[in-house]
Amino acid sequence: MPQDITCLIVDDHEVVREGLRLSLSRASHIRVVGEASDGASAVALTERRRPNVVIMDVRMPGMDGLQATREITAKVPESAVLLFTAHNERSLLGRGLEAGARGYILKEAPHQTLLRAIEKVAEGEGYVDPALMPSFLNSRDKEDMLTAREREILQLLADGMSNVEVAGKLFISQETVKSHVRHILAKLEADTRTHAVAIALRESIID
Amino acid sequence: MPQDITCLIVDDHEVVREGLRLSLSRASHIRVVGEASDGASAVALTERRRPNVVIMDVRMPGMDGLQATREITAKVPESAVLLFTAHNERSLLGRGLEAGARGYILKEAPHQTLLRAIEKVAEGEGYVDPALMPSFLNSRDKEDMLTAREREILQLLADGMSNVEVAGKLFISQETVKSHVRHILAKLEADTRTHAVAIALRESIID
DNA sequence: GACCGGATCCCCCAAAAGGGGCAGGAATGA
DNA sequence: TCATTCCTGCCCCTTTTGGGGGATCCGGTC
């Protein structure tokens, strides 16, 4: 490697930022050039410092990691975003890659794996945590097979709306809503709308 | 303080353990005497090392932090458990204190606050993150007003069970289940069982 | 042009859910 | 002892949901 890899750390938990800094300080060819604790300042800092890699948490207050990733890949395409997130947010992988992330690694990964992932994405390659592969095909095409409209309706169901209320909100017929809900249940293999919402919340398909 | 405070770090994410170790290494009167990455080894290690304070994550694979806290307070009452968890799990505060935790601090807290919390619980006092106070009265008495039976039923609703199925599972009448569900809806101020499950999942009342 | 997926809407019908009131028994605690 | 809470069960009734069958229209794609 001709020169150091420059890194930006983005996480709302100070203890995680400290841990990352400590991990990365052990690697002589990696240099941390900044830290941010929310999406907006992450974007701003990336524009100024233009790091090789942005290590980005997904769940953050304010602008979340996915939105920040979209803005960074649009404004600073030479900075590679490496999503760094917790076990229970695995299904965000699909949306993360859509948003333009170059890599996705779990917080529970040992730090050697993290270093390898940073090197990979800095070289322009992709990196996805191997632990995600099994659940990838399961949960991913679960989420993916839902259309935008179906996700929208599922979100409203999670807020306790009945078919009639959803119909009113979306200016469509109640029969149409029923039709969509039937499709959602079939696709998620759920018995009831309640089950579908529970699945979707657990898989982070909706919020 | 006559002698060092001994600490045990429990978190399933290596990066968090590293961050904690780094934070605590800056405080000369605090000594880390062990690390665990799951509840079971946390209990075992606490019994062997008998630290003054156990810094415990709540969400962990296998035995979770709450169960580990219960076992530690039962077996090693002289070790104080300080729960250390993320923003979105605030409603766990009530159950954490019930489980015997001496303190509760958010991962987003600055490390000076963390040090103060460690000192407090080591001295035998309680510590609750001030940031939790506003949401305490809101979400806490939402969760708290649910009885154990109601939480149990709510959990089954989240798995997509109908009233009849819940009744079969719990060996009670369907009418009783309907009665419980009505109470759940009223207490959570939910319009439908789907809404109730969504609220409960978001507030971490159920999993 | 033919085809397909997505969104929209309609019918029918059985089952489930929701809302109201009521009440007995057990356990807890004032 | 009395009050309270919780779990349990039952009645009534209306509304909602879920499952099945269709249909039309539109924007892509082959």
Side-chain angles (χ1 to χ4, degrees):
Chain A
M1 181 99 12
Q3 57 187 36
D4 287 0
I5 298 172
T6 52
C7 269
L8 182 68
I9 294 174
V10 186
D11 197 297
D12 57 328
H13 299 317
E14 178 170 343
V15 70
V16 174
R17 294 198 302 273
E18 298 236 23
L20 274 174
R21 234 186 306 148
L22 180 62
S23 271
L24 300 185
S25 70
R26 293 208 198 96
S28 57
H29 59 299
I30 294 178
R31 198 155 40 88
V32 176
V33 297
E35 282 185 21
S37 61
D38 63 275
S41 46
V43 175
L45 213 53
T46 302
E47 285 184 284
R48 274 218 307 283
R49 305 274 169 86
R50 312 209 153 239
N52 300 123
V53 179
V54 180
I55 302 170
M56 172 93 71
D57 189 19
V58 177
R59 290 235 166 119
M60 283 184 300
M63 184 197 295
D64 75 354
L66 291 183
Q67 185 54 35
T69 300
R70 278 182 214 105
E71 301 201 5
I72 286 174
T73 48
K75 293 177 181 169
V76 194
E78 70 265 35
S79 291
V81 176
L82 175 62
L83 293 178
F84 182 62
T85 188
H87 180 276
N88 57 322
E89 296 156 23
R90 286 185 174 180
S91 65
L92 294 174
L93 171 59
R95 270 181 291 169
L97 298 181
E98 265 171 26
R102 200 84 62 78
Y104 197 106
I105 188 166
L106 297 178
K107 280 190 180 172
E108 67 216 55
H111 80 271
Q112 289 86 347
T113 309
L114 174 64
L115 296 183
R116 215 176 320 131
I118 292 173
E119 290 162 9
K120 283 275 190 193
V121 300
E123 288 166 13
E125 296 182 49
Y127 185 91
V128 172
D129 197 309
L132 282 163
M133 289 309 178
S135 67
F136 184 56
L137 291 174
N138 291 346
S139 65
R140 167 66 177 152
D141 54 10
K142 226 180 210 167
E143 170 184 1
D144 211 30
M145 65 200 324
L146 285 189
T147 67
R149 194 57 154 175
E150 286 163 351
R151 272 198 297 274
E152 189 180 8
I153 286 173
L154 192 51
Q155 179 69 60
L156 296 177
L157 296 186
D159 295 334
M161 290 194 184
S162 69
N163 292 336
V164 179
E165 289 169 325
V166 172
K169 175 116 183 173
L170 301 182
F171 302 106
I172 57 179
S173 150
Q174 185 211 354
E175 294 299 326
T176 306
V177 178
K178 289 181 66 174
S179 209
H180 284 305
V181 172
R182 250 180 286 128
H183 292 149
I184 292 170
L185 296 186
K187 287 180 177 180
L188 295 184
E189 297 175 275
D191 303 318
T192 64
R193 63 180 55 212
T194 304
H195 197 192
V197 165
I199 291 170
L201 283 172
R202 289 179 180 136
E203 305 260 344
S204 296
I205 294 172
I206 57 173
D207 305 308
Chain B
M1 180 94 18
Q3 57 187 40
D4 287 1
I5 298 173
T6 52
C7 268
L8 182 68
I9 293 174
V10 186
D11 197 297
D12 57 326
H13 298 317
E14 178 170 342
V15 70
V16 174
R17 296 198 303 273
E18 298 236 27
L20 273 174
R21 236 187 304 145
L22 181 61
S23 271
L24 300 185
S25 70
R26 294 209 197 96
S28 56
H29 60 299
I30 294 178
R31 197 154 40 88
V32 176
V33 296
E35 282 186 19
S37 60
D38 63 275
S41 47
V43 175
L45 213 53
T46 302
E47 284 183 286
R48 274 217 306 283
R49 306 274 169 87
R50 312 210 154 240
N52 301 123
V53 179
V54 180
I55 302 170
M56 171 93 70
D57 188 19
V58 176
R59 289 234 167 120
M60 283 184 299
M63 185 197 296
D64 76 353
L66 291 183
Q67 185 55 35
T69 300
R70 278 183 214 103
E71 301 201 5
I72 286 174
T73 47
K75 293 177 180 171
V76 193
E78 69 265 34
S79 291
V81 176
L82 175 63
L83 292 178
F84 182 62
T85 189
H87 180 275
N88 58 322
E89 296 156 21
R90 288 185 172 182
S91 65
L92 295 174
L93 170 59
R95 270 182 290 168
L97 298 181
E98 265 170 27
R102 200 83 64 78
Y104 196 105
I105 189 165
L106 298 177
K107 280 191 179 169
E108 68 215 55
H111 80 269
Q112 288 86 349
T113 309
L114 173 64
L115 296 183
R116 216 177 319 131
I118 292 173
E119 290 163 9
K120 283 277 191 192
V121 300
E123 289 167 13
E125 294 181 50
Y127 185 90
V128 173
D129 198 309
L132 281 162
M133 290 310 179
S135 67
F136 184 56
L137 291 174
N138 292 346
S139 63
R140 168 65 178 151
D141 53 13
K142 226 179 212 168
E143 169 186 2
D144 210 32
M145 62 198 330
L146 284 189
T147 67
R149 194 56 154 177
E150 286 163 349
R151 274 197 296 272
E152 189 180 6
I153 287 173
L154 192 50
Q155 180 70 60
L156 297 177
L157 296 187
D159 295 333
M161 290 195 185
S162 68
N163 291 336
V164 179
E165 289 169 325
V166 171
K169 176 117 184 169
L170 300 182
F171 303 104
I172 57 179
S173 152
Q174 186 210 356
E175 294 299 326
T176 305
V177 177
K178 290 180 67 174
S179 214
H180 284 304
V181 172
R182 250 180 285 130
H183 293 150
I184 292 169
L185 297 186
K187 287 180 177 178
L188 295 184
E189 296 175 273
D191 303 318
T192 64
R193 64 176 56 210
T194 303
H195 196 192
V197 165
I199 292 171
L201 283 172
R202 289 177 181 139
E203 304 259 345
S204 295
I205 294 173
I206 58 174
D207 305 308

